[in-house]
Each structure stands twice: as structure tokens, then as C-alpha cells.
Amino acid sequence: MSLIGNLFNSSIGRKFLMAVSGLILVGFVAGHLAGNLQIFGSPDRINGYAHFLQSLGPALWLVRFVLLAAVAVHIWAAVVLTLENRKANGATGYGVNKVIQATLASRTMRWTGVVVCAFILYHLAQFTLGVVSHDTFKGSLPAWTMSEDAREFGVPLAAKGTEVHDVYSMVFLGFANPIVSVFYIIATTLLAFHLLHGIDSLFQTIGWRNHSWSCRLRKVAALFCLLYALGSLAIPGAILTGLLKPAAGTYAAKVVATASVAQR
Amino acid sequence: MAQLSSNIPSGPLADKWRKYKTEIKLVNPANKRKYKVIVVGAGLAGSSASATLAELGYQVETFVFHDSPRRAHSIAAQGGINAAKNYQNDGDSVYRLFYDTLKGGDYRAREANVHRLAEVSVNIIDQCVAQGVPFAREYGGLLANRSFGGAQVSRTFYARGQTGQQLLLGAYSALSKMVGQGGVKLHVNSEMLDLVVIDGVAKGIIVRDLVTGAITRHSADAVILATGGYGNVFNLSTYARGSNCTAIWRAYKRGACLANPCYTQIHPTCIPVSGDYQSKLTLMSESLRNDGRIWVPKKKEDCKKPPADIAEEDRDYYLERIYPSFGNLAPRDVASRAAKRMCDEGRGVGETGLGVYLDFAEAIERYGQQVANRNHLENPSKEKIRELGEAAVKERYGNLFDIYHEITNESAYKQPMRIYPAVHYTMGGLWVDYNLMSNVPGLFVLGEANFSDHGANRLGASALMQGLADGYFVVPYTIGNYLAGIKPGTRPTPDAPEFKAAEQHIRDFNNRLLNAKGKEPVNHFHKKLGKLMWDYCGMARTKEGLEKALVEIPKLREEFWANVNVPGSGETLNQALERAGRVADFIELGELMCRDALTREESCGGHFREEYQWPDGECKRDDEKFAHAAAWEFQGEGKTPLRNIEPLNYEFTKMSVRSYK
Amino acid sequence: MVAEKSSAKNISVTLRVWRQAGPAQPGKFVDYPAKDLNPNMSFLEMLDVINDGLEQKGEEPISFAHDCREGICGTCSLVINGKPHGPNKSIASCQTYMRSFSDGEVIVVEPFRAAPFPIVKDLVTDRSAFDKIQQAGGFISIRTGAACDANATPIPKEVADLAMDAAQCIGCGACVAACKNSSAMLFVSAKVSQLGLLPQGQPERDSRVLNMVATMDSLGFGNCTNQYECSAACPKAVSHDFIARMNRDYITASFRSAFRPKSAAAGDGA
Ligand SMILES: Cc1cc2nc3c(=O)[nH]c(=O)nc-3n(C[C@H](O)[C@H](O)[C@H](O)COP(=O)(O)OP(=O)(O)OC[C@H]3O[C@@H](n4cnc5c(N)ncnc54)[C@H](O)[C@@H]3O)c2cc1C
Ligand code: HEM
Ligand code: HEM
Ligand code: SF4
Ligand code: F3S
Ligand code: FES
């Protein structure tokens, strides 16, 4: 029995990998959302932040690699475990199916997971690779010139006057499309639902959960998911409903203005 | 006539076992693996024996009719296991446990066996704890004890209300280890249907695979039966539905003597019968008598009143009244008969009038007060005390109260339990000598299946002790002594003619059942037999009753064979066929029990003949005529069996009138 | 624990029972009327009555596994109306009483269904897989007679109590039957935890969990997705906390066995 063998070939090992990869992904989506919420600030903030990330070079690739690996492991484990479970259930099912106490979230992990997976692919195609909605992709938009020094927690992100990608406008223009926005809203809500079970579950998988505090854990997880869902909903929601208008002087503001002129 | 030599080693009582162990022949390790031992049964006795013999290096094959060894009926024991550890420093000792057990058995057991049992009791607890049996503990981390019927010391070890389960799982884990290592070959769903005896020596068994129906032959150098008790001869009992007498009965028919079959124990605290559909009776552990008080109304008119409406002075706490020093902890037979007497007087409670109260109100109050004092509560309210008391009682007996509630839909926290005696244990069984070997050489019998240690009555918490003693600490020595006298490699093949004949015999027997194609289901006969046995050979027996039963039972047997309907075939799982075979044996055994009870013209322990009692209703033994074990020997179908006698000599104790007053 | 329904009036129900002649034969539901039942009758006694009727007619009785009929042997294994061991919490099929059903109800009775528990006949399944898991490590290796005094190692009451909670498992397999993934985690974790909690179980703690889980996997049980149906169906209410404990034990043991120094004399080690 080797460590690698135990982790990749045993039921518990694979679940452990799933939990660890899930945890990494949870960390990422939480941080990502926090970053994305900067859209509610001045364009300098999010653009500076995006610039900073891009400028990390090898570190960025390391992070990307970890994420990619996490997704790959997570999906691989999900597929293998699901197939095994099907087989374990045998050929004949129950005449009467009853759920005693399993939550809906726990029973729909596969489906919420698949939707999230489809979303990630689309999302990467849109905002990272620019293969869909190419004309509003950051690479196709005019650069943004930083009007301020951007810093976060004392770390300089981008100096005043630097030309950076206009992520701010890309997001605004991307979410101007109601279909895209609605898809984002659905996907992130389902992700929150995935996490509603996932976060609680990963503690069980790692072995850090017992009845003396599982109730509290469940509440904290639920609160996290609620905040996450609201936060994710806020960005496309605010843009689509027009509650959030692009800041004056941004490319997005110009496009919006032209569009409304054209409509008239 | 069978040769019944008890083979008790000479010397002082306390030295016999030690001396025996130093003097027996040993089998050298290289030879051990050449011997094959068949163990039938994997209850406490069978599992512990299988595991230990395999550890020693013998080839062991273990057979159980259950689908897993862990399901043996030992699993159901609730109350606890005795051991002379004296951890409570209350004056216990090996001698005292020996004495209590012997006296509890109403001086109808062998001194030497009982003393050995008490000696090894100490090792059992060590062994079980080392296996991971989670016995109850005190806050300091040491083992807890409680007291049990028939003893004035606290020597009973327990694991919640599931002691048998935990001990069996311990033995099962030891067995599993040896199965995993290949030391034991395990055959589940395999029912032994015959014993194969060649030239007077046990050499193997015939087995039916209950799932495939296959009938197979298995040979060995020695055969161990650890197949449990036969209380289901009464149909209704606290035994598991599957417990049966088939293994010992068929061994009996091959020449093994069956000793004292009439000694059955009636347990005083069971849930009363509620209807004729009933399939089993549920025991409420005897440990409840530590804290529960047993009573009936003083006046007949009060019997149908709700218990709460009966004033304290109108209650008759009859055990405390009649047996002041043991009170509610009087031994089982004494307590059972007292309950029967109360009901016979018309003072029984419940719908059928066959029940007495077991009341926890006082215990709840007492524990509540104790907890309140411990927590320094000032002037706690009555409700608070009750609440604390109920919690304390729940901690001790919660699962028993739950069981009671499930069955009766009544809460024993709020109203007294109703209890009534029920058949619970069979002291009789195959006759064995000091080596636990029957009169058929090579056939060893352990646990409840033998007759050895409990005399005419078994004390609470001593069956578990005996099963494990036999399996872990006795038979591993004694079987070596036997095997050392056999040349390795001389065991017959299962193709020997005796094997083939026995197999054919079983095939014919089963076909006869399948082809009877009568009109009644098997249960019909089982119920009828049960009623006859309970009425005439139950808690109280009379000459007339037994004589009547000896007329009725043979009739029932004829009716059974003529009119039973066993659908299906013998080639698959066929539960009707399994039941039919067992009931056929029960009917015959029932007859023998009545015969034994009729011949034993005295009362002792669990055998109570109404003609032989002291004025106060206690058992009147006749030590002149009956201080012996009666070992019945089969003489052929339709012939009256032969009653052999093994005299019981009390060298070290004086036979006294058993009194619990 | 028990539904407090009036137990005064007799009831009649229709039983819809899974009948299957053998492991390879196809099965189907068959209806049997059960009339005029005393509500204090147990579910298995009701089946006895139906079976007596069938046998009287020369028809094969419904095969169902049972033995102790008091919830301790773990033999009984019915799925009643979609729930292993029937409608009530924390009890086994044999402790289910007819008072839990209403007059006129159709009661569907099925066997446990999971690939590692193949059907033997009707409602009887083969659960020997559990024994195999036990044989892989569900023990403390102590030769008979080699034990030291039972009180030599005090065990804190809380630890002993927790071990007892795990030890209560009756090996019935309802956890597998209830689990949407046919996972045996609750059963295995109960065994692993009982022994793993006690000081006596420490020397083999790592090898035990590794071996038992490996055997569980190889027998084709599914994987736990932490849905807790198992503990809800368990007649002994064995807590799924033990699953968490086993997960932790397993991962720890995997790492420890990878990095622990091994004695050169130990051969291939364990
Ligand atoms: C409800 C109840 C509570 C009890 N409580 C206590 C208690 O608190 N303390 C105490 O000391 N004692 C108690 N007893 C008594 C005690 O449990 C039993 O006497 C004891 O467990 C018997 O163990 P055993 O190993 O002899 O047989 P069992 O445990 O009955 O095992 C019999 C074995 O034999 C097998 N078998 C039988 N026939 C065949 C066959 N023909 N072919 C193949 N296999 C066969 C079975 O499969 C099984 O494995 C209680 C008994 C009952 C009924
Ligand atoms: C990419 C597609 C995804 C699929 C197909 C998928 C599928 C699954 C499945 C089947 C489970 C198992 C359920 C369980 O064991 O309880 C699971 C668990 C989990 N998932 Fe996902 N998921 C996906 C994406 C994600 C993402 C993006 C995240 C986080 C942001 C995530 C976080 C988690 C967590 C935390 C768990 C719990 C792990 C555990 O129980 O140990 N998943 N996922
Ligand atoms: C409201 C929701 C979201 C918004 C507004 C959003 C926005 C963005 C933007 C603007 C980028 C490009 C950043 C850049 O170019 O530097 C990006 C990248 C990315 N997003 Fe999102 N995102 C959202 C939700 C999600 C979710 C739910 C996931 C995953 C589950 C996700 C995963 C990613 C990944 C993996 C990248 C690529 C990072 C990289 O370049 O390495 N996003 N997102
Ligand atoms: S854990 Fe519960 S449900 Fe599973 S086998 Fe044990 S007792 Fe049965
Ligand atoms: S129901 Fe199944 S998913 Fe896990 S928690 Fe229980 S084994
Ligand atoms: S029959 Fe024993 S647990 Fe149900």
C-alpha cells in the first residue's frame, strides 16, 4: 500500500482528494469574488488588480496550474466515484424510493457540478481566452490608463499612468448580454448550492466534523454560501438591471452611451 | 449401557484443574496441524473454541446455520457475565463464585467442573478486555460491576444492556482473525444434520447448505458441538426463533447421552404474552431487579386498576416479604415460581392476568436524590428529582426501557413494567465428562449444549461465563489430551461407508418431510407442542400432567408426519423445510423431557414437581434418591430410552437446603 | 421511538412483497392481503401468519431473514415502504409493530438492494461481505491466555462509552441499503472506531483501517458522499461521526505508513 495508491485508488483517498481540491477551489472562488466585487469601485481598482495578477508571471502560472489540477482531480474523482456508486447500487433499484434525511444539495452534487463545469469552460472562453464574445474581450478593447496608484493591503498593484487591460469594461460589456448574465447568475447560484453541501461535507471527509459542532458548521457554511450567492448575483444583476452604470470615461461608458443613442 | 465416567482428576478441589493441566498429554506443534477439528456453532462457546484451537495450530472447520457467526444467539444476552475478580473488594473469591453457582444449581452440578469454571472466570474478563470489549467503566477508568440474582456480591461485568453482543463480537473478532489467516475454514448457512460415528468414535458430520440445499459430508479427528440451548421446544421462549435442538438431538440418536433434559430455566422478568400470533418472548434483563421492585396488588379487586391508583399499603412486594435477605434478587426459579403463585392466587395484572409489576418509581426517586445531592442542589423540587432520577435510570437501563416501550407501547418511566416468567435457558444437554467430552469419544460439547456446570438451575450472568470458559480455557487443553491419543493422519475420508449411510439417512429424512404434503403448516405443530410443554412440563410439573403429555406428544408426532405441509424443494433455500426438521426433533425431545421430569421424583432448581415441595412452596430435593445426573441413552426408534446415572459426590461442600430467605 | 397510535382496533393491510426464486431469476412484486391484524403484532409475526396461510395451501412461504426478533442479532433486513427496517427510527425490522401502519395501507416490502448484497431468495440477501471486511482487520490480535489483568489499563469512561456507541452496531447492513451509493462506510467505521478508540487497539490501528477499507472497496461497496441516510436508518443509531473519524484515521495511516521509518529486520513490514 503506497500513499499515492491509497489516495488515488481507495474510496476514502479519492474522497480526500476531492475534498482537498474542493477546498482549493472554494478558496479560489471566494478570493475571486472578492476581487470581482471591486467592479463596484473605480475602474482603477479592478483594472489595477487584474494587471497585477497578469504581471505575476511564473507565479500566475503556478496558481493556474494548481487550479487546473484541482479541477481535473475534482472532476476525475467525481466521475470515478459516481460510476462506482452506480455499479454498487446493482441492477435492480428499489420499488419505493425514499429519502430519510439527505439534503437536496447533497443529492444533486453531480448536476450542480456539471453545470458549474460547463460554466467554467464558457467563462474561460469569454474572459480569459476571448474565444466567445471576442469583440468585448479585454485584448480587443482599448487599454486603460491608470489614473491613480492602485494598492491593496499596502502592495502596489499598478502605478499611475500604466497602460493596463480594461477588464472593467470587458465585464460591463460582457454582462450587457442578458443571456450571458442569466447564465452567470444560474451557474453561480448552483455553485453556491454545490458548496452548501460541499463545505460541510469536506469537513466530514477530512475528519474534522462531529455532532458537537456540526450544527454550527452547517450554519457557517450556509452563511458563506448565501453571501457567495448574493455577491455573485450582484455583479451581473447590477449591470443587467442598470443599477450599476459604467464609470464616466471608461470605454464601456462610451459604448453604453452610443448604444442608447443608437436605440433612440 | 453407556459408560459414564466423569474423569474428575483427584486431589483437592482447588488444585484439580492446575494439576490436570500439568499432567495432560500435549500434542507437538508439528502434529497439531495434522489434526482437523470440526466445530459446530459459533456462539460464545463455538467462536472462542474455534479461534483458540486455530491459534494453537489445529485445522479448524466451523459450521453455523446462521448467515454469519456473529448472529449466534449469544448475541442476545443482555445482563452480564460473572467473574470472581473481586474488584469491588466486597468479599468475592473463586470459592464464593464456585459456591454460589453450585448452590444456585441446587446441588445438581459437579463440584469439580463448577470450581474450574469459577477459576477461569477471572481470565475471561482479561481476555475480553484485551480484545476490545467495551465493558462499562467507572469514572476512574476501571471496570464497573453490578450485582445479579443469587449473589450477594457485585461480580457481574456488563456492557450496557448488550453484554452478550459485545462478548460475542469479541469472540467473533478472534474467530474472524483466524478465518482471515486461514486457520479456520468457516461454513455459514450450513446446518449440521447428523453426526457420523465410526466404531463408536465421532469422526464427522453431515451438513446441509441452507442456500443451495447441497448435502455434504465432513470428516475430522474430533467434533465439537457448541450449538446452544433447546428452549424453543416450548415454542414461545426468549430464544431466537432459529435456536434449535437438532445438532444435539441427532447426536443423541447416534449414541451420545442427553443429560437432565427436563432442567429448564424460567426467567422471571419477561414481557408477558399478548396474543396467539406471538412468536417469541422478550426478556427484560435480570439486572432490572437491582433497582426495580416487584409487586402485585394485595387485593384481587385491584388487579384491573391502573397501578398508580393502588395505594402503597395495598401493594404486596412479595419477594421482599418472603425472601427478606435476597428480596428482589432471589434466584430465577424462586422468583419465577413466586410470580406464578401470585397469578395463580388471582392477583396477576394486565389483560391476561398473567403478569406482575416491576416498579422503578422508588429507584427513580432514590437516584434523583443522589444526583441532586452530588450536585449540591438546594431543595430540589419533586419534579426536578424525578427528572434527574429518570435520567439516571435511563443511563442504566435506557435500552431495556426502549425495548419495553416498542413492544408494549407503554413507558416504564411513568408506570411499572408488567413482567411474567418465560422459558429462558436449558440446563440439560449432552452429557460430558470433566474433559467436556461426551460418552461418544471424540465428541466434545460446549456451552449451553452440554449439561455440565449449572446443575438444576443457572444463576444469572453465568452462561456467558461458561460458554467462554469452555471455549477459551477448557477445551483447548482437554481436546489436546484426547487428540494426543490418536495417530495423526488416521482420520477417515468422508467417503467411508458410515458417511455415505448417514448422508442417505438425511436425504431420506428431508424427502419424507417434503413429500408429506399434508394440510398444516409447520408452525401449527410447533405451537401445539409448545402449549403441551408449557402446560405440563413448564414452571410446575405434576405426575398426572407429565403422564398426559407422554400420551399427547407421541400423538402429535404422528399427526405431524401425516399432516405437515412443507412446500418447495430441498434444492434451494427452503425455510419451511428447515423449520420442519427442527420441529420434528423438538417433538421427540419434548417427549424425552417429560419422561425425564416424570422420573425425577423431586423438585430441584428449575425442575419443580408440585408433589415435592416444602410447606412454603420451595423445592424439596430428594438427595437420597436423586443426587445424580440422569443421562438418557437412545435405544432405537420407538423404544423407550435408557436412563443412565452419574452419581454426584459432594466431597468439598455440604448439600444444604437451598434457602434465600 | 414508536408512533403512538391507538392500538385498540384490528387493521387490514395489503402487502406488496418482492418475490424472487433465486439469485439469477427475475423478481417481481406480489400482493398479499393481510386481514384483521392485532396492532400489537410485530411485522414479522404478520409475515408468519401470511406464511402459515401460504404453507397451508402448499405454496412456498415468503423467505425472509430473522432470528432473535428483538433487534440485536442483525439478521432481519426488510425495506418497508422504501425505508430499511421500516418507518420508525432506531429500531430493526423485527421491532416494528403493526401499530405503526394504518388500516387499508399498502405496504411495500423489499429486500436490501446493493450489488455486494446479492439476493438469495425473496427478501433474503447475502451479507457475507461484512464478514470478509471483519476478517481483514476487525480484531485486536491477542492470543487466548496472553492478556494481562483487565484493570491494568484504565480507560476513561468517556472513551469506553464512545467505543461502546460504535460497538453497538448489529451488522445488519441497513446502512448500505439506505445509502444512495450503497456505501458500507457506517458499518466499517463503527468497527474501525471501536477498536481504534481503545488503548488495546492502538498497535494495529493503522493497518486495521487500511486493510478494512481496502477490503470494503474491493467488495464493490459504493463511496460515501456524506448524505447521512445510513445513520438515519441504522437501528442502533450508530453516528456518522465515526465515518469522519475513520476518514481521518485512514488518511493519517496512509501518510504515516508512507513516512514511518521501517526496521530492516521487519521484512516487508506491515
Ligand atoms: C434473551 C437471553 C438473554 C440472556 N442473558 C444472559 C446474561 O445476561 N448472562 C448470561 O450469562 N447468560 C445469558 N443468557 C444465556 C446465554 O446467552 C446463552 O446460554 C449462551 O449465550 C449460549 O451460548 P452458546 O455458545 O452455547 O450457544 P449459542 O450462542 O446459542 O450458539 C449456537 C450456535 O450454534 C449454531 N448451531 C446450532 N445448531 C446448529 C446446527 N444444527 N448446525 C450448525 N450450526 C448450528 C448456531 O448457528 C450458533 O452459531 C441469555 C439468554 C437469552 C435467551
Ligand atoms: C467542475 C465540475 C464539478 C463537478 C462535476 C463537481 C462534482 C462534485 C461531486 C460529485 C462532489 C461529491 C459530493 C460529495 O462527496 O459530497 C463534489 C464535492 C465537492 N465539490 Fe464539486 N464539483 C465540481 C466543481 C466544484 C467547484 C468549482 C467547487 C468549488 C468552488 C467544488 C467544491 C466542492 C466541494 C468543497 C466538495 C466537497 C468535497 C467533499 O465532500 O469532500 N466543486 N463535487
Ligand atoms: C460573477 C461572477 C464572475 C465574474 C464577474 C468573473 C470575472 C472574471 C474575469 C473578469 C476574469 C478575467 C480576469 C483577468 O483577465 O485577469 C475571470 C477569470 C477567471 N474566472 Fe471568473 N468571474 C466570475 C465567476 C467565476 C466563477 C464562479 C469561477 C469558477 C468557478 C470563475 C473562474 C475563473 C477563472 C478560472 C478565471 C481565469 C483566471 C486566470 O486567468 O487564470 N469565475 N473571471
Ligand atoms: S452501522 Fe447500523 S445500519 Fe449499519 S450494519 Fe451496523 S447496525 Fe446496521
Ligand atoms: S448514507 Fe451513504 S453517503 Fe455516506 S454518510 Fe452514509 S454512507
Ligand atoms: S431478528 Fe434479530 S435483529 Fe431483527
Short mmCIF file of all heavy atoms in Angstrom, two decimals, chain B residues 17 42 56 60 72 93 101 134 154 194 265 285 294 322 338 405 445 547:
data_model
loop_
_atom_site.label_atom_id
_atom_site.label_comp_id
_atom_site.label_asym_id
_atom_site.label_seq_id
_atom_site.Cartn_x
_atom_site.Cartn_y
_atom_site.Cartn_z
N TRP B 17 -7.72 -28.57 38.63
CA TRP B 17 -7.52 -28.08 37.27
C TRP B 17 -6.04 -27.81 37.00
O TRP B 17 -5.50 -28.17 35.97
CB TRP B 17 -8.39 -26.84 37.05
CG TRP B 17 -8.30 -26.21 35.69
CD1 TRP B 17 -8.01 -24.91 35.42
CD2 TRP B 17 -8.51 -26.83 34.40
NE1 TRP B 17 -8.04 -24.67 34.08
CE2 TRP B 17 -8.34 -25.84 33.42
CE3 TRP B 17 -8.82 -28.13 34.00
CZ2 TRP B 17 -8.46 -26.09 32.06
CZ3 TRP B 17 -8.94 -28.40 32.64
CH2 TRP B 17 -8.77 -27.38 31.69
N ALA B 42 -21.10 -21.16 16.50
CA ALA B 42 -20.16 -20.06 16.70
C ALA B 42 -20.76 -19.02 17.63
O ALA B 42 -20.66 -17.83 17.42
CB ALA B 42 -19.75 -19.44 15.37
N LEU B 56 -3.79 -22.36 18.25
CA LEU B 56 -2.87 -23.41 18.68
C LEU B 56 -2.28 -24.16 17.49
O LEU B 56 -1.27 -24.83 17.63
CB LEU B 56 -3.60 -24.39 19.61
CG LEU B 56 -3.94 -23.83 20.99
CD1 LEU B 56 -4.79 -24.82 21.77
CD2 LEU B 56 -2.68 -23.50 21.77
N VAL B 60 -9.11 -26.09 11.77
CA VAL B 60 -10.45 -25.99 12.32
C VAL B 60 -11.45 -25.69 11.21
O VAL B 60 -11.17 -24.86 10.33
CB VAL B 60 -10.52 -24.86 13.38
CG1 VAL B 60 -11.93 -24.71 13.92
CG2 VAL B 60 -9.53 -25.15 14.52
N ALA B 72 -25.11 -15.66 16.20
CA ALA B 72 -25.46 -16.71 17.16
C ALA B 72 -26.27 -16.12 18.31
O ALA B 72 -26.14 -14.94 18.63
CB ALA B 72 -24.20 -17.37 17.69
N SER B 93 -14.61 -14.17 45.85
CA SER B 93 -13.43 -15.01 45.64
C SER B 93 -13.84 -16.14 44.73
O SER B 93 -15.04 -16.35 44.48
CB SER B 93 -12.96 -15.59 46.98
OG SER B 93 -13.99 -16.43 47.48
N THR B 101 -22.57 -20.68 42.58
CA THR B 101 -23.03 -21.37 41.37
C THR B 101 -23.54 -22.77 41.71
O THR B 101 -24.56 -23.20 41.18
CB THR B 101 -21.87 -21.44 40.35
OG1 THR B 101 -21.30 -20.15 40.21
CG2 THR B 101 -22.36 -21.92 39.00
N PRO B 134 -15.96 -3.38 25.08
CA PRO B 134 -16.12 -2.13 25.85
C PRO B 134 -17.02 -2.30 27.06
O PRO B 134 -18.13 -1.80 27.08
CB PRO B 134 -16.72 -1.16 24.82
CG PRO B 134 -17.44 -2.03 23.83
CD PRO B 134 -16.80 -3.39 23.87
N SER B 154 -21.08 -7.93 44.14
CA SER B 154 -21.17 -7.37 42.79
C SER B 154 -20.03 -7.93 41.98
O SER B 154 -18.90 -7.46 42.08
CB SER B 154 -21.07 -5.84 42.85
OG SER B 154 -22.25 -5.30 43.34
N ASP B 194 -26.43 -34.42 10.93
CA ASP B 194 -26.15 -35.73 11.54
C ASP B 194 -24.70 -35.79 12.00
O ASP B 194 -23.83 -35.07 11.50
CB ASP B 194 -26.43 -36.86 10.55
CG ASP B 194 -26.94 -38.11 11.27
OD1 ASP B 194 -26.82 -38.17 12.52
OD2 ASP B 194 -27.45 -39.01 10.59
N GLN B 265 -34.84 -23.47 32.57
CA GLN B 265 -34.94 -22.30 33.42
C GLN B 265 -36.01 -21.36 32.91
O GLN B 265 -36.10 -21.09 31.72
CB GLN B 265 -33.62 -21.54 33.44
CG GLN B 265 -33.73 -20.27 34.25
CD GLN B 265 -32.36 -19.71 34.55
OE1 GLN B 265 -31.79 -18.99 33.74
NE2 GLN B 265 -31.81 -20.09 35.68
N SER B 285 -33.85 -7.72 31.02
CA SER B 285 -32.71 -8.25 31.75
C SER B 285 -32.95 -8.29 33.25
O SER B 285 -33.56 -7.42 33.84
CB SER B 285 -31.48 -7.40 31.48
OG SER B 285 -30.50 -7.74 32.41
N ILE B 294 -40.63 -5.64 42.72
CA ILE B 294 -41.68 -6.47 42.14
C ILE B 294 -42.87 -6.53 43.10
O ILE B 294 -42.69 -6.74 44.30
CB ILE B 294 -41.13 -7.88 41.85
CG1 ILE B 294 -40.03 -7.76 40.80
CG2 ILE B 294 -42.24 -8.82 41.38
CD1 ILE B 294 -39.35 -9.04 40.45
N ILE B 322 -41.24 -12.39 51.28
CA ILE B 322 -40.95 -13.81 51.55
C ILE B 322 -39.46 -14.07 51.70
O ILE B 322 -39.05 -14.94 52.45
CB ILE B 322 -41.52 -14.70 50.42
CG1 ILE B 322 -42.98 -14.31 50.14
CG2 ILE B 322 -41.45 -16.18 50.80
CD1 ILE B 322 -43.59 -15.03 48.97
N ALA B 338 -42.61 -17.75 42.38
CA ALA B 338 -43.36 -16.83 43.24
C ALA B 338 -44.35 -16.04 42.38
O ALA B 338 -45.51 -15.86 42.74
CB ALA B 338 -42.41 -15.89 43.97
N HIS B 405 -40.93 -0.36 25.64
CA HIS B 405 -41.85 0.59 25.02
C HIS B 405 -42.23 0.16 23.61
O HIS B 405 -43.39 0.19 23.22
CB HIS B 405 -41.22 1.98 25.01
CG HIS B 405 -42.14 3.03 24.48
ND1 HIS B 405 -41.77 3.92 23.52
CD2 HIS B 405 -43.42 3.29 24.77
CE1 HIS B 405 -42.81 4.71 23.24
NE2 HIS B 405 -43.81 4.35 23.99
N VAL B 445 -18.67 -31.31 23.76
CA VAL B 445 -19.86 -30.46 23.77
C VAL B 445 -19.62 -29.27 24.70
O VAL B 445 -19.22 -29.45 25.85
CB VAL B 445 -21.10 -31.24 24.24
CG1 VAL B 445 -22.36 -30.43 23.98
CG2 VAL B 445 -21.20 -32.60 23.53
N GLU B 547 -47.70 -37.45 32.64
CA GLU B 547 -48.20 -38.69 32.03
C GLU B 547 -49.11 -38.37 30.86
O GLU B 547 -49.07 -39.02 29.81
CB GLU B 547 -48.93 -39.54 33.08
CG GLU B 547 -47.93 -40.35 33.89
CD GLU B 547 -48.53 -41.01 35.13
OE1 GLU B 547 -49.69 -40.70 35.47
OE2 GLU B 547 -47.82 -41.83 35.75
#
